[in-house]
Amino acid sequence: MSDNPNTSQDSSRGGLSQAELDELVASSDTGGRGATGPVGVFLTCVALAWSLFQLWIASPIPFMVGVGVFNDTEARSIHLAFAIFLAFAAFPAARTKFQLGLGIAVPIILAVLFMTGAKDSVSTWWIPVVAAAVVGAIVLGSPKDRVPVWEWALAVVGALSALYLYVYYRDISGRVGAPITQDFVVAVIGIILLLEATRRALGPALMIVASVFLMYTVLGPFMPSIIAHKGNSLSEIVNHQWITTEGVFGIALGVSTSFVFLFVLFGSLLDRAGAGNYFIQVAFSLMGHMKGGPAKAAVVSSAMTGLISGSSIANVVTTGTFTIPLMKKVGFSSEKAGAVEVASSVNGQIMPPVMGAAAFLMVEYVGIPYFDVVKHAFLPAVISYIALVYIVHLEALKAGMEGLPRAYTPKPIVQRLIGIAFTIAAICAISFAVYYGMGWIRPAFPETAGYIIFAFISLVYIALLYVASKEEPLELDDPNAPVTALPLPGPTIRSGLHFILPVVVLVWALMVDRLSPGLSAFWATAYMVFILVTQRPLTAIMRGEGAFGAAVAQGGRDLIDGLETGARNMIGIGIATATAGIIVGAVSQTGVGSALADVVEVLSGGNILAILFLTAILSLILGMGLPTTANYIVVSALLAPVIVTLGQQNGLIVPLIAVHLFVFYFGIMADVTPPVGLASFAAAAVSGGDPIKTGVVAFFYSLRTAALPFLFIFNTELLLIDVTWAQGIFVFLIATIAMLLFAAATQGWFLARNRFYETIALLLIAFTLFRPGFWMDMVAPPYAEENPAAIAEAAMATAPGDDLRIRVAGLNDLGDPIEFVAILPIEDGATGDERLENAGLLFRDEDGKMIVDDVAFGSAAADAGLDWDQEVLRVLRPVSQPSKYFMFIPALALLALVVFLQRGRAAVVPRKTKTA
């Protein structure tokens, strides 16, 4: 992909031209078809209509005027119609032999399957006609420069199939479970065209996976016995997948409709206003002078750009075109420069407050507010980024690199520290004033509070814009030009402070007012529209430039362009969530989830760590072809409940949010992992390096991201679950140190080049800091085992409020044998039997075996999963244990030894300067 540098380019860059990079982003995100003239204008109008529709349904206006109110199902129907129409119009189909063969084979296979699954009373003569028409359109070709008639037909028919639920909503609601011929025709056409749209917009992988699940739905009786099921008829598939909200129009598409579109649109508008360039320039002005400065600036700018870009590839190309050549200039190889950009850009999806689309799905799947998702995800994301900056620092040390020349002489360190402290204090004071000011305005002026707040923010906006107008406008510098000095931090920061306001509005609505993600994004986007339209005219007035009319016109063009780009960026996500709905629908319809739980349990031997590795591997394999959102939906639907269940069987309570974040992290890792890491290919296209080598290096840089999920499954303090403020700060500091040591171990360099035993020591220290309880449990077990017959005595010896762990054997809901650990909170009582009875438990003795005789409804015992006739196998009574943090003492002693050894070598052996 990148081995053939464009000959017209500067030799120092060696990657693709800007036009080719734009085409790369278009082919993966916005649509690679370059239609011009009336057709181009029409597609722009459709994209604009989609963005305006989404803004309309997210706003409170429809409820105020009583017009244009859509329920969830109707909104999902219209959302998918736009996505399918634009997928066929904007994405030309790939013409490789494999893609063409797949495009022809899938409609034919599905036609045969649907005819096979149809009951005798259902007419099926029309199904081959549908398949033949789709195959014919595929064979006729898909030019890149125009939209042929047959593709207009696919776009229109696909959109009408999606709109069917909106148009016939009332009729369908009266015949749920009993589809008529019209339903059959629309559903079959819709499923086949949705899969073809998936192939165009997202590649073959998701199309193949969804088709396999449809095949499994019909061919259940012919499957191996462990995953066999009765098989579903065409009537059941039509009803489940298309006519109700169990399949295509399910939760995933609902989240795309309600939340994700607005966040993507917000990012697109913010980028169009110039925030992307602002973030890059600020990062370079602040960090470019450090060792390996451009790489550190790339990490920080990608973290900031992650706020406004939901796509790893777009993030790589946006920041990478500037950062990668500068990284190469200070000594990074093409592969390492690309890998740094990949590692930092991919992490943009895990960086709160605006995370990847999958984070909004967690709100629905886990059933917690978005505020809690952000809270739990915050610490791992920040630690991961700090560690990446440190990895870059280590690479610079290894290669003896220097930073770029400063544009000014820095002040003494004490003066700088005082300045930083004053800035932090000023921000805190402003934050408190705003918080309590808002708290006073709302009760004092309940009817007009919204207008007062808008006026206040607008005054702040005008003041910040006035400050920016006094600085030179930021231009995106040519990264291939000689660098004489970095931009001055002060003027650079002041030139775009108003870009932070919409982000403040968003964070305030999400985190302080606790509005829904959709409404929060609407208010932030609405304010972003206001800024986009006004910033150019106001700046022209403040600078006295004249040309007011031209500035107003340019602001309008910026708005239209931002709205169009936002809609085009959503095509792939809309299609992905709909197609992933087919997979989720198949899982719920066939019961394959419970069958897969049996398979996974056999493969893992019931070991929680083994199942986590299997889950990680499955996420990486699926992620080679599936976008992050679809990958998360599939893996979480299949394996998240299994991990929670197996955890319980092993006596480990795994919070559901921890499992979902685990899946999310490994879905993101798939964008990095060779041989199909798309972000690595995009970075190699910019750097001119080898894409596979770039992916390998990026994978090693991202090992910290792969390690974190395993750690927070076993140490949920990292997710700020059940911790105080003081504990949270302590956990953050210790976890950050541990992750830096882990990075030093994986990079083979701490203060000097590691010897193999030092690497092992650093890994041990990092693990101990992350999980001190692992070693303390070995030294002083937290539980003492008691005879099951002595369970009453164990309950009496357990302090009220502590948990008694009881391993029981019984039958699950399906009548299959099961063993698990029940965690029973012990309540106060005069005797052990009374304490057990207060917890809802009565036992009987059968031939020396303790059997659960009764479980009170709604009791603590019932909540713990205990039931009648279960046999008690083991009883574990909690005992006092020294603080697990005592394990830090030997860990820090070992760290001191490693520091002592490496400082001696670093002082004796001069560093050799070499290229990275």
Side-chain angles (χ1 to χ4, degrees):
M1 184 176 187
S2 59
D3 294 328
N4 301 313
N6 192 292
T7 54
S8 65
Q9 283 190 292
D10 187 295
S11 61
S12 68
R13 177 160 165 186
L16 300 184
S17 67
Q18 188 60 48
E20 288 169 316
L21 290 171
D22 291 342
E23 186 179 341
L24 173 70
V25 175
S27 64
S28 64
D29 285 349
T30 60
R33 180 170 274 144
T36 56
V39 172
V41 172
F42 175 70
L43 293 181
T44 297
C45 291
V46 173
L48 283 174
W50 191 10
S51 289
L52 294 173
F53 165 74
Q54 295 288 160
L55 285 169
W56 175 262
I57 62 172
S59 74
I61 298 172
F63 301 97
M64 293 163 63
V65 299
V67 177
V69 178
F70 301 92
N71 65 32
D72 286 347
T73 306
E74 292 170 331
R76 292 174 193 181
S77 171
I78 297 169
H79 179 84
L80 182 58
F82 274 116
I84 291 180
F85 183 89
L86 287 171
F88 281 110
F91 286 89
R95 299 291 292 177
T96 63
K97 288 182 180 179
F98 174 73
Q99 286 265 30
L100 190 59
L102 190 67
I104 293 170
V106 167
I108 294 172
I109 292 169
L110 290 182
V112 173
L113 278 174
F114 290 152
M115 292 175 75
T116 304
K119 294 177 180 176
D120 294 339
S121 58
V122 176
S123 173
T124 58
W125 62 267
W126 50 272
I127 296 179
V129 176
V130 171
V134 174
V135 168
I138 292 167
V139 171
L140 283 171
S142 183
K144 283 192 172 186
D145 56 345
R146 60 189 177 86
V147 185
V149 174
W150 53 89
E151 297 212 319
W152 282 120
L154 292 176
V156 171
V157 174
L160 290 175
S161 301
L163 284 171
Y164 183 70
L165 261 73
Y166 168 67
V167 176
Y168 292 95
Y169 180 79
R170 196 170 294 279
D171 295 339
I172 291 169
S173 63
R175 57 169 188 267
V176 174
I180 60 176
T181 303
Q182 180 176 297
D183 298 339
F184 281 101
V185 174
V186 172
V188 169
I189 292 173
I191 289 172
I192 291 175
L193 289 182
L194 174 60
L195 290 176
E196 172 57 20
T198 304
R199 181 177 75 90
R200 290 162 178 259
L202 302 164
L206 185 56
M207 181 196 203
I208 293 170
V209 174
S211 301
V212 167
F213 272 87
L214 285 172
M215 291 167 64
Y216 174 73
T217 304
V218 176
L219 303 176
F222 306 101
M223 295 290 152
S225 58
I226 194 168
I227 58 168
H229 65 100
K230 70 177 182 65
N232 297 98
S233 67
L234 178 60
S235 174
E236 291 168 333
I237 292 171
V238 164
N239 184 68
H240 198 81
Q241 294 286 10
W242 202 267
I243 301 303
T244 65
T245 55
E246 297 296 321
V248 170
F249 296 94
I251 288 175
L253 187 65
V255 171
S256 175
T257 306
S258 304
F259 305 157
V260 179
F261 191 104
L262 288 165
F263 279 90
V264 171
L265 181 61
F266 171 73
S268 174
L269 293 171
L270 195 56
D271 188 43
R272 186 61 197 162
N277 179 34
Y278 173 69
F279 290 151
I280 293 169
Q281 298 278 17
V282 167
F284 267 86
S285 69
L286 293 174
M287 306 190 74
H289 65 280
M290 300 177 181
K291 289 183 184 294
K296 291 175 182 173
V299 175
V300 174
S301 60
S302 290
M304 291 190 288
T305 308
L307 291 173
I308 63 173
S309 171
S311 163
S312 302
I313 295 166
N315 200 341
V316 165
V317 173
T318 301
T319 57
T321 47
F322 187 73
T323 60
I324 288 174
L326 287 173
M327 281 189 264
K328 290 169 68 177
K329 196 166 290 184
V330 296
F332 282 84
S333 66
S334 297
E335 286 75 21
K336 286 189 176 179
V340 169
E341 184 57 49
V342 169
S344 53
S345 293
V346 166
N347 266 41
Q349 293 194 55
I350 64 172
M351 192 67 192
V354 184
M355 298 161 70
F360 300 104
L361 288 160
M362 280 182 217
V363 173
E364 298 293 329
Y365 286 161
V366 183
I368 61 176
Y370 186 70
F371 173 85
D372 288 345
V373 173
V374 168
K375 182 182 81 173
H376 297 318
F378 177 74
L379 213 59
V382 173
I383 291 168
S384 188
Y385 263 115
I386 292 172
L388 184 56
V389 173
Y390 183 60
I391 286 171
V392 168
H393 180 71
L394 292 176
E395 288 286 2
L397 285 177
K398 282 193 273 184
M401 296 178 197
E402 296 300 327
L404 297 171
R406 284 183 190 260
Y408 66 102
T409 303
K411 295 175 182 176
I413 184 70
V414 175
Q415 199 170 342
R416 277 184 283 163
L417 288 174
I418 292 171
I420 292 169
F422 178 78
T423 304
I424 293 171
I427 291 171
C428 291
I430 292 168
S431 300
F432 276 110
V434 170
Y435 181 79
Y436 289 108
M438 293 288 183
W440 171 77
I441 288 172
R442 287 205 168 96
F445 306 97
E447 300 296 324
T448 57
Y451 300 106
I452 294 170
I453 291 168
F454 174 76
F456 171 73
I457 296 173
S458 297
L459 286 173
V460 174
Y461 161 62
I462 292 169
L464 292 177
L465 199 62
Y466 178 77
V467 171
S469 70
K470 301 306 174 188
E471 307 296 342
E472 288 295 318
L474 286 181
E475 300 292 341
L476 190 58
D477 299 327
D478 179 6
N480 297 305
V483 178
T484 54
L486 290 166
L488 285 165
T492 304
I493 292 170
R494 290 193 295 271
S495 66
L497 283 172
H498 57 287
F499 293 133
I500 298 172
L501 272 180
V503 180
V504 170
V505 170
L506 177 63
V507 174
W508 185 277
L510 275 174
M511 313 301 285
V512 180
D513 284 349
R514 304 285 182 92
L515 301 180
S516 71
L519 194 56
S520 302
F522 167 75
W523 289 119
T525 304
Y527 201 75
M528 194 60 241
V529 168
F530 171 71
I531 287 178
L532 204 59
V533 171
T534 59
Q535 71 168 350
R536 287 183 185 274
L538 288 176
T539 303
I541 293 171
M542 291 170 180
R543 287 182 175 152
E545 294 173 347
F548 180 77
V552 171
Q554 185 58 48
R557 285 193 291 272
D558 287 343
L559 175 61
I560 291 170
D561 187 58
L563 291 171
E564 180 191 4
T565 304
R568 281 178 167 267
N569 283 336
M570 269 304 299
I571 299 170
I573 296 175
I575 296 293
T577 50
T579 308
I582 292 177
I583 298 164
V584 175
V587 171
S588 63
Q589 190 171 24
T590 60
V592 69
S594 58
L596 192 72
D598 295 336
V599 174
V600 168
E601 189 168 359
V602 170
L603 289 174
S604 65
N607 184 289
I608 187 72
L609 197 57
I611 189 182
L612 289 173
F613 272 111
L614 285 171
T615 305
I617 291 166
L618 179 64
S619 292
L620 290 174
I621 291 171
L622 285 176
M624 288 180 180
L626 269 61
T628 305
T629 308
N631 189 355
Y632 165 75
I633 293 167
V634 174
V635 180
S636 63
L638 292 174
L639 290 180
V642 183
I643 295 173
V644 173
T645 304
L646 274 184
Q648 185 189 20
Q649 291 175 15
N650 283 270
L652 177 70
I653 300 302
V654 184
L656 193 57
I657 182 65
V659 179
H660 280 260
L661 282 171
F662 182 94
V663 173
F664 182 39
Y665 267 59
F666 277 98
I668 289 167
M669 280 290 291
D671 272 349
V672 177
T673 314
V676 199
L678 296 180
S680 300
F681 276 83
V686 179
S687 71
D690 178 85
I692 301 298
K693 286 182 182 176
T694 302
V696 170
V697 177
F699 179 77
F700 277 101
Y701 288 167
S702 300
L703 279 176
R704 71 202 192 289
T705 309
L708 275 169
F710 286 99
L711 294 165
F712 62 57
I713 287 285
F714 293 101
N715 182 7
T716 54
E717 288 179 347
L718 285 170
L719 300 179
L720 300 180
I721 294 175
D722 298 330
V723 296
T724 63
W725 270 98
Q727 284 174 307
I729 293 168
F730 177 73
V731 167
F732 170 69
L733 294 173
I734 295 299
T736 301
I737 294 167
M739 186 50 71
L740 296 182
L741 294 173
F742 177 81
T746 56
Q747 293 304 303
W749 189 287
F750 185 33
L751 304 178
R753 188 172 300 282
N754 295 348
R755 290 177 177 157
F756 78 93
Y757 53 84
E758 292 170 341
T759 295
I760 295 169
L762 287 170
L763 289 172
L764 272 174
I765 296 164
F767 178 76
T768 304
L769 294 178
F770 273 122
R771 278 202 68 196
F774 178 83
W775 304 112
M776 185 56 78
D777 289 351
M778 289 184 177
V779 174
Y783 296 97
E785 186 165 354
E786 304 285 355
N787 191 305
I791 190 169
E793 289 82 352
M796 192 61 204
T798 302
D802 284 352
D803 295 332
L804 194 66
R805 292 181 171 235
I806 309 170
R807 188 165 189 85
V808 296
L811 301 176
N812 64 12
D813 295 339
L814 301 174
D816 298 323
I818 186 174
E819 284 188 19
F820 67 95
V821 176
I823 298 178
L824 183 69
I826 294 298
E827 300 180 19
D828 204 1
T831 65
D833 286 324
E834 188 177 322
R835 289 185 174 189
L836 291 172
E837 191 172 343
N838 289 341
L841 267 182
L842 290 175
F843 292 96
R844 66 178 188 273
D845 191 328
E846 288 187 3
D847 302 325
K849 296 178 180 178
M850 292 300 290
I851 307 296
V852 178
D853 193 42
D854 188 26
V855 177
F857 178 77
S859 65
D863 292 341
L866 293 167
D867 208 345
W868 295 329
D869 296 332
Q870 290 172 339
E871 180 189 351
V872 178
L873 302 178
R874 297 176 69 198
V875 176
L876 296 174
R877 174 177 57 83
V879 294
S880 61
Q881 183 189 40
S883 171
K884 63 184 179 182
Y885 298 118
F886 281 128
M887 284 296 154
F888 287 174
I889 296 171
L892 294 174
L894 184 56
L895 177 60
L897 177 62
V898 173
V899 170
F900 175 76
L901 292 172
Q902 292 211 355
R903 282 193 70 176
R905 289 207 309 279
V908 172
V909 182
R911 256 180 228 130
K912 297 177 182 179
T913 304
K914 58 181 180 180
T915 59

